[in-house]
Amino acid sequence: MSILGIGVDVVDLARFKETLERTPTMRTRLFTDAERDLPLESLAGRFAAKEALAKAMGAPAGLSWQDFEIVNDSHGAPTFKLHGAAPERLASLGIETIHLSISHDTSIATAFVVTER
């Protein structure tokens, strides 16, 4: 395996909360039905994960935020569930594996993504 991309993102929880309150349609645009009603910290972590993956992919056009859903695997670790155009786009970039780490603190959420061939 070889690393194709790395992405990281940090979300300020207070600012993210204000944005969601000011623009309620953001929840619908950014998150899948399964993600929308999660607590603020989880939403911020998932948004950071989606941003980090977009950065690791080189910010390709033609993808929706909802094409990338964050779910937990059988061990409780976060992982991506791909929808829409995402599987084909990742395959076209040669991405076979995505590693994801999400962390929360009192005021921030951080996500780190590594993509591999």
Side-chain angles (χ1 to χ4, degrees):
M1 295 240 166
S2 61
I3 293 175
L4 294 177
I6 297 172
V8 65
D9 196 62
V10 177
V11 175
D12 179 277
L13 294 177
R15 233 173 66 201
F16 191 68
K17 180 181 179 187
E18 289 172 11
T19 300
L20 290 178
E21 289 172 350
R22 185 177 58 246
T23 313
T25 57
M26 292 272 299
R27 274 184 198 259
T28 304
R29 194 167 75 235
L30 298 176
F31 303 106
T32 65
D33 290 341
E35 295 172 316
R36 275 187 208 125
D37 294 327
L38 293 170
L40 178 69
E41 295 81 8
S42 294
L43 289 176
R46 280 164 169 75
F47 178 69
K50 293 175 187 206
E51 279 278 337
L53 179 56
K55 292 173 183 177
M57 293 174 65
L63 293 172
S64 163
W65 290 109
Q66 292 189 28
D67 286 347
F68 307 109
E69 180 178 2
I70 291 77
V71 297
N72 292 52
D73 69 14
S74 61
H75 302 287
T79 189
F80 285 97
K81 182 177 180 181
L82 305 176
H83 304 283
E88 184 178 316
R89 184 65 176 134
L90 267 71
S92 74
L93 294 170
I95 297 170
E96 297 174 3
T97 305
I98 304 169
H99 302 279
L100 170 62
S101 179
I102 301 174
S103 183
H104 305 90
D105 197 353
T106 56
S107 63
I108 62 167
T110 304
F112 189 83
V113 168
V114 175
T115 60
E116 290 184 312
R117 175 183 331 254

